[in-house]
Structure formats: structure tokens, C-alpha cells
Amino acid sequence: MRKSIERTPMPATRQPIPTSGDRRTAVDGNPGVFLRELRTEKGWTLAEVSERTRIPVSTLSKIETGKMSLSYEKLLRLSQGLEIDITQLFAAATSIPAATHTATGRRSITPAGEGPSIKTATYNYTYPSADLLNKTLNPMIIDIKVRSIDDFGDLMRHSGEEYVLVLEGECEFHTDMYAPSHLKTGDSAYFDASMGHGYVAVGDGPCRILSVCSATDADLKSALHPVDAE
């Protein structure tokens, strides 16, 4: 007679219950894509989203560019401040389809020395491609007038990111989070433009830079303080 072998049942595997400190995995994909698309659709600036959510502008910028994960607390602040269902942010990492690109034929040519200009106490701005509205990027050619950071006043800050290339001369690149950097002709920098920043010409010669920003025209011009033409 065969003896029956009793098998001890395996215990069921139980998934750990996430706590407020580890509820990140569902949104680590890229919730910033959803945030940026919602902000664009509503016409909100990063500053306006910051007011609604009590999350700093610099943090929101890092979330949008995928440089920072969302903690559970920030996830709650976003959903409550933006008045959206919290599941939309959880689903954002997996449910957004790959973007398809269709050529629009947009094009703008600006002859040398032409384009609308704005003068401030620190810079003279010239705007290439001003005939194109709702640009994703905003280029500016800037002649730096100020030669001392003491004469600069408050550092500038605006939404989006910025790339700067020194076209002529030399300048000091100042921010409120880093020591000043000396940039010569051909040098460039890329940075979070919500961080306070400013350029100061070095030496006796002229200094001209190319700045390209992802902020909107309205955001950029609201940060300027034009002066009357001399």
C-alpha cells in the first residue's frame, strides 16, 4: 500500500503596501510629459502652476524635463492644485503614445542686422524670426551693456530653459546658484532659466551673445524692463 504524501501548501505571495515614502515607481516613467501638455493646453506658465500647487518653479521645471521623480506628496499637490484625478499622473508614464511629427513648412529668414529690438538698462535685444508666432523656441541676439554685476540689478528669471553662445567678446555668466563663469567667444552654456541669471560684459570691447529660450514670448517680455530709446 502506498503512503500518501502530504504537501504543505505554499504561502501566497503578498505584495508590499507602498508607503508615502516609496510610492514613486508608478510615475517614474515621465509624468513631466503630461504636466507640460496640460500646462500648454491651459496656457499656464510654470509660475502659475507653482502658485496652484505650492511646488517651486525650479522643481516643476525639473519634473517636466524628466530630471526629478515625483514623491507621493508632490503627486498629491499636483493633482489637487491642478484639479485633476490623481490617476492621470500615474497613467501618464505608460499611456501617452509616441509622438508623430508632420512637417508644417514654417520658416523664417532674418537678414543680418534686422529684426525688432528692445533696449533695457543692461542689454540691447534683437529678435530674429519675429514674424513667426507661437514658436517653441525664442532666439535673441543680445548686446551686453552693463560691465559690473553691481550695476545689473535683480537677476533675470523666467520659465523654460535657455542656451547661450558668445558670438563676440567675453562675458561673465552669473546665477544665484553657482559661482560666476567666464565665457569667451565660442563658449556656451545651457541652464534652467527659472534660476536667477545675468550676463556682464568683460573688458573694453563689445560683447554680443545669442540666447535661445524655450519660454514663450509673453514670459520673456514680461521679465524685461525697456527704457526709452536714446
Side-chain angles (χ1 to χ4, degrees):
M1 177 181 292
R2 283 184 171 182
K3 293 183 178 180
S4 61
I5 300 175
E6 294 184 0
R7 299 182 181 272
T8 303
M10 296 293 291
T13 302
R14 301 181 67 181
Q15 297 296 326
I17 299 174
T19 64
S20 61
D22 59 14
R23 294 185 187 178
R24 293 172 181 258
T25 54
V27 292
D28 273 345
N30 195 354
V33 173
F34 178 84
L35 175 59
R36 185 186 297 112
E37 288 184 352
L38 177 65
R39 188 167 63 80
T40 300
E41 177 186 333
K42 300 289 188 181
W44 293 334
T45 65
L46 281 173
E48 289 172 325
V49 174
S50 177
E51 285 185 15
R52 290 170 175 269
T53 61
R54 296 177 292 110
I55 297 175
V57 169
S58 57
T59 300
L60 291 170
S61 178
K62 290 176 183 177
I63 292 171
E64 285 198 355
T65 54
K67 297 175 183 175
M68 178 180 288
S69 299
L70 277 172
S71 65
Y72 185 62
E73 287 75 15
K74 287 188 176 66
L75 186 69
L76 284 175
R77 286 191 196 179
L78 276 175
S79 63
Q80 293 169 357
L82 301 180
E83 298 180 352
I84 59 174
D85 193 299
I86 196 170
T87 59
Q88 290 181 265
L89 287 168
F90 276 99
T94 56
S95 64
I96 298 176
T100 57
H101 180 73
T102 303
T104 63
R106 278 160 59 89
R107 190 191 79 161
S108 175
I109 296 175
T110 305
E114 295 189 13
S117 62
I118 295 178
K119 292 185 177 182
T120 70
T122 52
Y123 307 140
N124 291 342
Y125 296 84
T126 301
Y127 291 88
S129 305
D131 55 323
L132 287 183
L133 301 178
N134 302 317
K135 294 186 292 292
T136 303
L137 300 174
N138 277 287
M140 297 172 287
I141 296 173
I142 302 174
D143 291 295
I144 303 173
K145 297 191 294 184
V146 69
R147 295 184 180 273
S148 169
I149 193 61
D150 295 330
D151 299 330
F152 192 94
D154 293 335
L155 294 177
M156 297 186 63
R157 61 183 74 241
H158 50 79
S159 62
E161 298 181 329
E162 183 168 342
Y163 171 79
V164 61
L165 169 68
V166 182
L167 301 176
E168 180 184 1
E170 302 178 27
C171 71
E172 280 186 345
F173 172 42
H174 291 259
T175 72
D176 59 5
M177 298 182 70
Y178 296 90
S181 299
H182 190 118
L183 303 180
K184 299 180 180 179
T185 301
D187 291 343
S188 63
Y190 188 102
F191 59 96
D192 172 6
S194 62
M195 173 175 61
H197 59 279
Y199 311 102
V200 176
V202 173
D204 298 326
C207 182
R208 173 173 288 189
I209 61 177
L210 167 68
S211 172
V212 182
C213 302
S214 61
T216 63
D217 289 316
D219 281 348
L220 287 174
K221 289 176 181 175
S222 67
L224 303 182
H225 302 287
V227 296
D228 294 333
E230 298 175 358

